[in-house]
Amino acid sequence: MKKALENEFHIVLEGESHEVDAVTLAETIENMNTLIHELNQELRPEYPIELKVKTFDEGSFDILFALIADPSVQSTIFTILNKDHLEIASNIISTLSDLFSIKQFLKGEKPQSIENTGDNQTKIENSTGDIKIVNAKSGDIILNNPTINITINNTFNTLKNKPEIEGLSFLANKENENVKISNAEFLEMASGLQEINQILQSEESKPNRTITKKEMPLSIFKIVFDDKYKWQFVNNDGQKISATIKDKIFFEKVKTRELYFTNGDVIIADVEIFQIYNEMAKAYENKNYTIIDINDIRHQPNQAKLEI
């Protein structure tokens, strides 16, 4: 087995066989791709990445995955050797390891209690009274992202019907990120979404919502030369946000070079903000920003132009 680099991880289907049926393999790879995409959107959506299958090793069926920069934006954002990219990839892989570990810990049952400790950690007590301390973001994702839960469930729902697969191992660069799940645990790993969602559907739960902020000033931090990807801005609170721009007239002007930008320019925009209700924080949390109209661009004085 090749040692995983910072941007790589192994999924090993344990067993004596050196082969696996095509449907199981395809579904496992597809589910890993869905999980990585969701984590990319949760953690750093402004840096689009792709999941690649690098190689197979003989023995227990070993799939080596790698996270790389989306090639369509690689030249304008970062490259495979960029330090920021490796950190992002490592963070996504570490979070994915956390998610498998939390699901394994819950054993398909509703947790007895969940407590945000306030130090970027979450304390989870499972049905047997055991305690697990996890990264707060990982805890938030496992409790609030149904796509993540469904995809993990689907992965093990497929594997539980394959007695020749004796277990699944998630192996990463760091020893503490490795997770080993036996065949006997597959049934538990394939359940639990309903129990977890019961927490989110309690009497105090509130529906997700979209709010609109008019004339919102946003300082341009990073430009992306494609309307499919997100720009980075800094808002009035000094918070860095990523937003998709849906203003078609704006992009037409960009393409025809009618607009230019300088470092520190500010756009005045109407912004839709998608919010979810975070049960642990008891407050709405901004999850996604969409700029629907750009009303004005305020250029900084005495700066050289950056032509688009």
Side-chain angles (χ1 to χ4, degrees), residues 83 122 153 189 200 218 223-224 266 281 287:
K83 180 175 180 290
T122 295
N153 289 355
M189 294 292 292
L200 307 179
L218 296 169
I223 299 167
V224 180
V266 175
K287 298 297 287 186

Side-chain angles (χ1 to χ4, degrees), residues 45-50 70-73 76-77 224-232 243-245 251:
E46 69 273 20
Y47 290 103
I49 63 168
E50 290 186 340
D70 186 325
S72 63
V73 293
T76 59
I77 297 182
V224 180
F225 298 93
D226 194 315
D227 58 5
K228 297 192 299 292
Y229 297 103
K230 297 184 178 185
W231 291 38
Q232 286 187 36
T244 303
I245 300 177
F251 269 108

Side-chain angles (χ1 to χ4, degrees), residues 21-286:
D21 72 80
V23 173
T24 300
L25 175 62
E27 290 184 1
T28 301
I29 293 174
E30 182 180 3
N31 289 336
M32 290 304 110
N33 188 59
T34 300
L35 290 171
I36 292 299
H37 174 76
E38 283 295 311
L39 290 176
N40 191 186
Q41 292 301 305
E42 287 273 2
L43 300 173
R44 295 296 295 272
E46 69 273 20
Y47 290 103
I49 63 168
E50 290 186 340
L51 179 67
K52 298 290 187 181
V53 180
K54 295 197 70 175
T55 187
F56 298 99
D57 282 348
E58 188 175 350
S60 294
F61 206 84
D62 183 355
I63 312 167
L64 177 60
F65 293 96
L67 305 186
I68 67 168
D70 186 325
S72 63
V73 293
Q74 196 169 11
S75 60
T76 59
I77 297 182
F78 59 99
T79 68
I80 186 64
L81 297 178
N82 186 287
K83 180 175 180 290
D84 287 343
H85 168 232
L86 291 177
E87 289 178 354
I88 294 164
S90 178
N91 188 25
I92 290 174
I93 292 169
S94 178
T95 304
L96 182 56
S97 170
D98 281 348
L99 300 184
F100 281 123
S101 179
I102 294 169
K103 288 278 286 185
Q104 184 182 36
F105 174 74
L106 290 175
K107 302 177 181 178
E109 299 291 336
K110 176 181 176 180
Q112 287 196 41
S113 66
I114 303 165
E115 179 185 348
N116 189 347
T117 63
D119 54 356
N120 198 37
Q121 292 184 321
T122 295
K123 182 169 72 172
I124 301 176
E125 182 182 2
N126 69 10
S127 59
T128 59
D130 296 322
I131 300 294
K132 186 176 184 65
I133 305 297
V134 301
N135 177 276
K137 186 61 179 177
S138 299
D140 177 61
I141 291 171
I142 201 70
L143 294 173
N144 288 290
N145 190 314
T147 301
I148 291 285
N149 269 284
I150 290 171
T151 304
I152 294 176
N153 289 355
N154 288 344
T155 300
F156 288 94
N157 191 52
T158 298
L159 297 178
K160 70 181 176 62
N161 298 317
K162 305 294 179 182
E164 69 274 17
I165 298 177
E166 299 173 3
L168 179 144
S169 294
F170 179 96
L171 306 175
N173 177 264
K174 299 174 183 175
E175 190 68 29
N176 63 350
E177 293 174 352
N178 297 339
V179 182
K180 292 183 177 292
I181 302 163
S182 69
N183 182 286
E185 298 174 284
F186 285 176
L187 182 59
E188 295 174 349
M189 294 292 292
S191 61
L193 177 64
Q194 182 177 354
E195 291 84 350
I196 290 174
N197 277 349
Q198 287 174 358
I199 300 171
L200 307 179
Q201 295 166 357
S202 64
E203 292 182 0
E204 297 183 15
S205 294
K206 297 183 180 180
N208 298 339
R209 67 185 186 184
T210 299
I211 63 173
T212 301
K213 296 284 188 180
K214 296 284 189 179
E215 302 287 321
M216 187 176 180
L218 296 169
S219 178
I220 297 172
F221 182 80
K222 182 170 288 186
I223 299 167
V224 180
F225 298 93
D226 194 315
D227 58 5
K228 297 192 299 292
Y229 297 103
K230 297 184 178 185
W231 291 38
Q232 286 187 36
F233 303 93
V234 178
N235 63 18
N236 272 354
D237 298 325
Q239 178 188 11
K240 188 188 296 184
I241 67 170
S242 301
T244 303
I245 300 177
K246 296 298 185 183
D247 188 330
K248 295 186 181 298
I249 296 176
F250 169 80
F251 269 108
E252 284 300 317
K253 290 182 178 180
V254 169
K255 291 176 182 177
T256 58
R257 299 178 179 269
E258 294 180 49
L259 295 177
Y260 71 90
F261 300 97
T262 59
N263 185 30
D265 281 353
V266 175
I267 66 168
I268 308 300
D270 297 339
V271 183
E272 287 184 347
I273 305 173
F274 177 69
Q275 299 178 320
I276 67 168
Y277 189 73
N278 189 314
E279 283 292 336
M280 290 188 292
K282 304 301 180 187
Y284 276 100
E285 179 182 357
N286 295 341

